[in-house]
């Protein structure tokens, strides 16, 4: 398995509170991604990063911000959590060279519940 | 906007049967296409990646094909086993960082 960990794995929080999810990789891959997975909507890209301090928006970025200060860590922040952000969040990484060029590898996911 | 469709949404087959899963996409200008499997409550496991210049990839009992001009990919599973039961997703990448996933096909292989 690719070396990707996500923390926390489960979190319950209240509406209006800030939440930060962490993705950590040991593969030194350049690209990192945050997705959410919801029944009826599949997997949707929130934000991605193509290098340290280099990030861009995905399909469903409203209400989320990201930061990447080190190659190995990509943080997703819900600035003020809402019930519509209850979801399973996945981090993914991909290399930009070698035989697995552009292949995405996923972390185990974080289940977030906003009450 | 890229749209990815996977039909059927669910499939049930007896053990040992060969089967084909389908993935269709609307924009043929893709970089590559990737097939995943997802077990309930788990993350996605990469099965095969097909670069835009390739037409197929094989790994064990799995074979994935890509026809960009028609906007189609198929995942062929030979001699299915109960352990193959999972949801299979395809994803297309239209440029660096941009991905679109299908909703998946849930496969059940009955012993």
């Amino acid at each position: 398995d690719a070396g990707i960990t996500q923390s926390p794995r489960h979190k319950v929080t209240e509406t209006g509170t800030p939440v930060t999810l962490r993705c950590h990789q040991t593969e030194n891959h350049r690209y990192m991604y945050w997705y959410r997975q919801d029944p009826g909507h599949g997997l949707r890209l929130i934000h991605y990063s193509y290098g340290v301090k280099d990030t861009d928006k995905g399909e469903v970025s409203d209400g989320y911000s990201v930061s990447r200060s080190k190659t190995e860590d990509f943080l997703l922040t819900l600035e003020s959590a809402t019930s519509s952000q209850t979801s399973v969040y996945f981090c993914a990484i991909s290399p930009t060279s070698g035989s697995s060029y552009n292949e995405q590898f996923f972390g185990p996911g974080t289940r977030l519940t906003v009450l | 906007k890229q749209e990815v469709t996977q039909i059927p949404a669910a499939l049930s087959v007896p053990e040992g049967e060969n089967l084909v899963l389908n993935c269709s996409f609307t924009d043929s200008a893709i970089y590559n296409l990737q097939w995943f499997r997802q077990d309930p409550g788990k993350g996605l496991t990469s099965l095969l990646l097909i670069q835009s210049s390739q037409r197929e990839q094989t790994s064990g009992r799995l074979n994935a094909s890509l026809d960009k001009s028609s906007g189609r990919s198929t995942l062929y599973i030979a001699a299915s086993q109960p352990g193959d039961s999972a949801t299979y997703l395809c994803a297309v990448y239209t440029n660096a960082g941009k991905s679109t996933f299908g909703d998946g096909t849930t496969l059940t292989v009955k012993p």
Side-chain angles (χ1 to χ4, degrees), chain B residues 17-95:
Chain B
E17 191 162 298
N18 302 326
L19 59 102
V20 174
L21 306 180
N22 297 294
C23 173
S24 302
F25 47 95
T26 55
D27 184 351
S28 62
I30 65 171
Y31 274 22
N32 47 33
L33 184 147
Q34 190 169 1
W35 282 94
F36 299 88
R37 72 172 278 168
Q38 185 175 28
D39 294 292
K42 304 292 186 182
L44 280 70
T45 300
S46 178
L47 297 174
L48 290 164
L49 175 76
I50 309 177
Q51 304 286 0
S52 60
S53 58
Q54 299 173 321
R55 293 191 64 85
E56 68 177 80
Q57 281 282 359
T58 298
S59 177
R61 294 182 295 108
L62 306 179
N63 176 276
S65 67
L66 174 63
D67 184 344
K68 283 179 56 179
S69 61
S70 67
R72 293 188 60 191
S73 176
T74 60
L75 178 66
Y76 175 83
I77 303 177
S80 58
Q81 304 170 357
D84 294 331
S85 298
T87 296
Y88 290 81
L89 298 131
C90 69
V92 297
Y93 306 115
T94 49
N95 54 40

